[in-house]
Structures are given as structure tokens and as C-alpha cells.
Amino acid sequence: MDISLEREPDTDPDHIDRAVWVTAFTIVIGAMAVVFDGTIVSVAIHDLTTQLHTSLSTIQWVSTGYLLAMFVTIPVTAWAQAVLGGKRLWLTALSIFLLGSVLCALSWDPASLIVSRVVQGIGGGIMLPLMTTLIMQATGGRNIGRVMATITLPTALGPIIGPVLGGIILAVADWRWLFLVNVPLCLIGAWLACRNLPTEKPRRGVRLDIAGLALISPGITAVIYGLTTDDLVPVIAGLTLVGAFIAWALRRGTRALIDLRLFRHRPLSSGSLLGFLAGATLYGAMFLLPLYWQDIRGQDALGAGLLLIPQSVGTLLSRSLAGRYTDRFGPRWVALTGFVVVTVATIPFGFVTADTSYVLLLAALLVRGAGMGVAVIPLTGASFIGLAHDEVPHASIISRVAQQVGGSLGTAVIAVVLQNASFGSAFWWAIGFTAVAAPVCLLLPGRPAPALPEASLDL
């Protein structure tokens, strides 16, 4: 941890500078377009299949192509930020996502829509890790819990607003408006970024690790493709490439595309593992819940979206409290509490039938959402404790990849279970992912050290 002796007298150690909040607000507005887009499209697969006169296996590439494009671009984010600077890269990625959204709305058949979604994924793949990087660098490592509660706001609002908005759009308008709603968010986000983000000087002499990129991007893409299509061959090929990248990156050290030596940093390694498990239980459950409401309880897309609101409301309500307690007591016990709550609150879904009480399930979702909010905020912020300014971009990539791979693996495993068993059995797998995460929380940092007199403590 770094101790700065330049604090002004009478400064509140819990005070967060206004510039940090301005940066966080600016980034969050732009990121909301990416988060909303994913949740809006997730409830529209059936309608897109019908209106574009194609098969489910084809239209599924609207989601799969977007996801694969993200994984191609995520690893280059740290290098691109060093070359362009954070502000320029954010505006570039936001512009690419805006272009992809417009192209999606102009698509005339499944193929053109899939290609347009790939363009969106390229922009989104840069924005998600860069969002965390820019704000973590702005905080200087202080009050991470409360700041993370702010920057993960799109993640909480997306599941609340996205499915409902998607259902409303499909009920009253053409499917093209699913993508046109991104346009105002992108334009406002770009305007705010031009005004509020500091201009960072590009670093000279930073070379792209081409060999590393040639290994890690197709490697992760092959793994995700194999998981989403339930094909073992690309998974094995992808893991082989990822293994080769690990060997290459460890030898190159800081010159590697992703500095894997940061895994020696226990907060990052434990936080990434927890992010992997959290992604598995979060995305796995989000795959199961809409299907349960629609296939077993007979709800339409809008009805399923409305029934998911309690979980997201719980997450939204617990965020501020989780952030404050993380800063006060440290990530370890806050995250542990959150994962225990999620585990207990998911148990009722292990016994679901077509007649299970709506009141019971909605109450369980509310509590489950609150637990997810308590769990995710400390583990995300904990990964960056003690890291230097230049190490944050690499840590952001590692954390993002861990969460996304965990989400893909969790969804794939639960989908296979669901094909061969009941919804209850599939939910027990989601419970298992969460239960495994609970003891891992003990590896996270504990209570932060108290602030020193006349000093500010940067964790």
C-alpha cells in the first residue's frame, strides 16, 4: 500500500473527491448502453427468430457473435490505452459501439445483423475493462468500496430495465428499436467524456505483443465458442493456446500483452477466482430464470422480465451499504456474507415446480439480489488493492476475462444439466457454484489499516 503525505489538514479521510465522482458518472452513462444492450437482446431471441424468418440455431449467433467479438478485443485494452490514452480510447470504443448499434438497426437479414453485432462486441469488449481501469486510476486506491458501488451501477440497472424495456419495445414497435435505444446513451456518453475525462498523454515506445495476441485472443474465443456450442474440440484447442500464452507471458513479464505476474498479488488472484465463480452463478441463474418463468409458468417475454425485477431491486438496494462496509471492514467478511446469503436464497429454486408460490420465489429473488450486490462489490474492488497505476489496466483485463469465462462456463454447464434433468437440478448447480465461492472469500484482504495522522492512506 502507498502512503501519500500530501493530504491537506482537516481533510476527511472518507471524503471522495468531486473529480472522481464526475469521472465515475461520465463513464457509467456510456457503459449503460453496453449493459442494457445485452439484457434487451436476451429477451428478444424468440421474436428475432420469427421476424427474420430463420432458425434458433442461426439467430443465437446474434448473442454468440457479440460475445466472441468482445473476447477478441478485451486483451488489447491495456496496450491500446497506453498508445492512445484513456480518454481517446474510451471515445473510440464508444464510437465503435454506436456504429454497431446503428448497423444493427439497419440490418436486413440474419447475416447482416450478426455482423453488426460483432462490430458492437468490438466496442463493448474495450469499454468494459476500460471502465474499471479509468475509475480505479482516478480514485488512487481510496474508498474503493463506495466507488465500485457507483461504477457497477449499470450492472444493477441493466437486469432491471433491460428485459422490461425489451419486452415493451417488442410489444409496441419494430425490433430495430432494440438497438436504436443505444444511440442517445452513446451520444450523451461521448459528450460527457469530451467534457469531463482528463486527457492522458500516450506512452511512447509501447509495442503490441503480437505473438501474445495471436495466442490469447483465439484461445479464449475458442474456449467460449466451445462452451456456448457444447463442442469439446474448440475448448481443448483454446485451452492449448491459452496455455502457450501463459508460458509466453510469464517469460516476457511486463512486456507481455497481459502481465500475468500480477497473479502473485493475492487480492487479484483470489478476486479473479471469485469473479469466475460469481459469473458462473449469476449468468447461469439468469439463463435459467427466464426459461423457468416462460416454459414452466407460461409467461411471455415481458412477464418474465417483470418477474426478474425483485432480484435486481435487491442488488440495487444493497449496493451503497456494501460499499460503505467494504471500506470500513474490508472485502473479506463483506464478500463472505454476500455469498452465504446468495447460497441460502437460491435454495428454494432447487425445489421449484409448476405450482411453487410466486410470493416465495419473488421474496427469494429479492434476498438473492441483495446478496449478489453485497458479494460482487467487495470482490471487484479488492482485486485492485495495492496495485500501481500502470498495473490497473492489466488487472482489469484479468478480472473481466475471469468473470466472462465463468459466466460462459456456468451457462454451458447448467444448459447441459437442464437438457437432461429438471429445473430444480439445474438450480442446484448454481447453488453449488455459489457455495464453493464462500470459503474462497477468506483469501481476500481483511480490515483496512487505519489512516495515519496527517496522511492519506492509499490501498
Side-chain angles (χ1 to χ4, degrees):
M1 58 183 67
D2 300 323
I3 299 178
S4 171
L5 300 177
E6 298 179 357
R7 199 190 80 183
E8 296 180 3
D10 303 324
T11 298
D12 181 358
D14 293 328
H15 174 72
I16 300 177
D17 190 84
R18 179 179 178 275
V20 175
W21 288 126
V22 170
T23 299
F25 176 77
T26 299
I27 297 298
V28 163
I29 293 299
M32 286 174 71
V34 181
V35 177
F36 284 173
D37 185 79
T39 54
I40 287 175
V41 174
S42 67
V43 300
I45 296 299
H46 175 75
D47 294 81
L48 289 173
T49 302
T50 303
Q51 295 187 33
L52 292 176
H53 308 291
T54 187
S55 64
L56 181 61
S57 59
T58 297
I59 208 65
Q60 188 63 38
W61 278 94
V62 170
S63 297
T64 303
Y66 176 81
L67 188 64
L68 296 181
M70 287 182 62
F71 277 101
V72 170
T73 54
I74 284 176
V76 304
T77 305
W79 169 81
Q81 182 181 357
V83 172
L84 296 177
K87 179 177 181 177
R88 292 187 185 91
L89 181 60
W90 180 257
L91 288 170
T92 299
L94 192 58
S95 299
I96 293 173
F97 188 85
L98 172 60
L99 173 63
S101 298
V102 174
L103 291 176
C104 285
L106 297 176
S107 298
W108 58 91
D109 60 11
S112 60
L113 179 58
I114 292 168
V115 172
S116 300
R117 284 283 284 169
V118 169
V119 176
Q120 274 190 315
I122 292 172
I126 296 173
M127 291 175 65
L128 291 179
L130 184 59
M131 173 182 71
T132 304
T133 296
L134 292 177
I135 301 180
M136 284 296 99
Q137 289 177 334
T139 65
R142 295 184 58 200
N143 297 302
I144 290 179
R146 280 188 288 164
V147 175
M148 289 306 300
T150 299
I151 71 170
T152 54
L153 182 63
T155 306
L157 290 178
I160 297 176
I161 300 176
V164 177
L165 182 59
I168 293 173
I169 289 173
L170 292 173
V172 302
D174 186 77
W175 62 267
R176 301 174 191 278
W177 284 96
L178 294 170
F179 305 100
L180 289 175
V181 294
N182 295 328
V183 174
L185 284 174
C186 289
L187 292 177
I188 294 172
W191 177 73
L192 289 173
C194 290
R195 284 175 53 91
N196 299 330
L197 294 186
T199 301
E200 180 183 352
K201 284 187 177 182
R203 290 163 50 192
R204 296 183 178 180
V206 180
R207 298 195 177 193
L208 177 62
D209 179 12
I210 297 177
L213 180 62
L215 292 171
I216 190 63
S217 286
I220 295 179
T221 301
V223 170
I224 298 302
Y225 172 79
L227 291 175
T228 53
T229 58
D230 195 21
D231 188 346
L232 191 59
V233 174
V235 173
I236 295 175
L239 290 175
T240 301
L241 291 174
V242 170
F245 171 77
I246 292 173
W248 170 262
L250 290 176
R251 189 173 63 183
R252 287 182 62 87
T254 57
R255 296 178 297 143
L257 186 68
I258 305 172
D259 187 1
L260 296 184
R261 296 183 308 168
L262 292 178
F263 273 112
R264 298 175 185 170
H265 187 69
R266 196 177 76 175
L268 176 60
S269 57
S270 57
S272 297
L273 176 57
L274 284 168
F276 175 88
L277 294 170
T281 187
L282 177 61
Y283 288 102
M286 288 303 295
F287 169 78
L288 279 175
L289 287 168
L291 289 177
Y292 170 73
W293 293 129
Q294 291 176 305
D295 294 350
I296 305 300
R297 308 306 289 260
Q299 299 289 333
D300 58 12
L302 179 57
L306 292 172
L307 288 167
L308 292 176
I309 286 180
Q311 177 171 264
S312 298
V313 169
T315 303
L316 192 63
L317 293 176
S318 66
R319 299 165 58 76
S320 178
L321 189 64
R324 290 185 178 276
Y325 279 128
T326 297
D327 292 334
R328 182 178 301 177
F329 300 110
R332 180 186 302 160
W333 302 112
V334 178
L336 178 61
T337 301
F339 277 109
V340 170
V341 170
V342 173
T343 302
V344 174
T346 311
I347 289 176
F349 288 91
F351 302 96
V352 290
T353 66
D355 302 314
T356 304
S357 167
Y358 274 102
V359 174
L360 172 64
L361 295 183
L362 294 179
L365 281 178
L366 180 67
V367 177
R368 187 179 193 275
M372 286 302 301
V374 172
V376 170
I377 288 173
L379 74 88
T380 304
S383 299
F384 299 91
I385 291 177
L387 293 180
H389 184 277
D390 292 339
E391 293 174 330
V392 172
H394 294 272
S396 297
I397 294 173
I398 292 171
S399 298
R400 176 57 56 180
V401 169
Q403 182 179 349
Q404 294 291 341
V405 172
S408 298
L409 178 61
T411 302
V413 169
I414 287 176
V416 171
V417 173
L418 186 59
Q419 290 174 2
N420 299 281
S422 65
F423 273 93
S425 299
F427 275 114
W428 277 109
W429 276 86
I431 295 169
F433 287 133
T434 315
V436 170
V440 180
C441 294
L442 298 176
L443 298 176
L444 293 174
R447 183 188 297 270
L452 298 180
E454 301 299 325
S456 67
L457 187 63
D458 291 339
L459 297 180

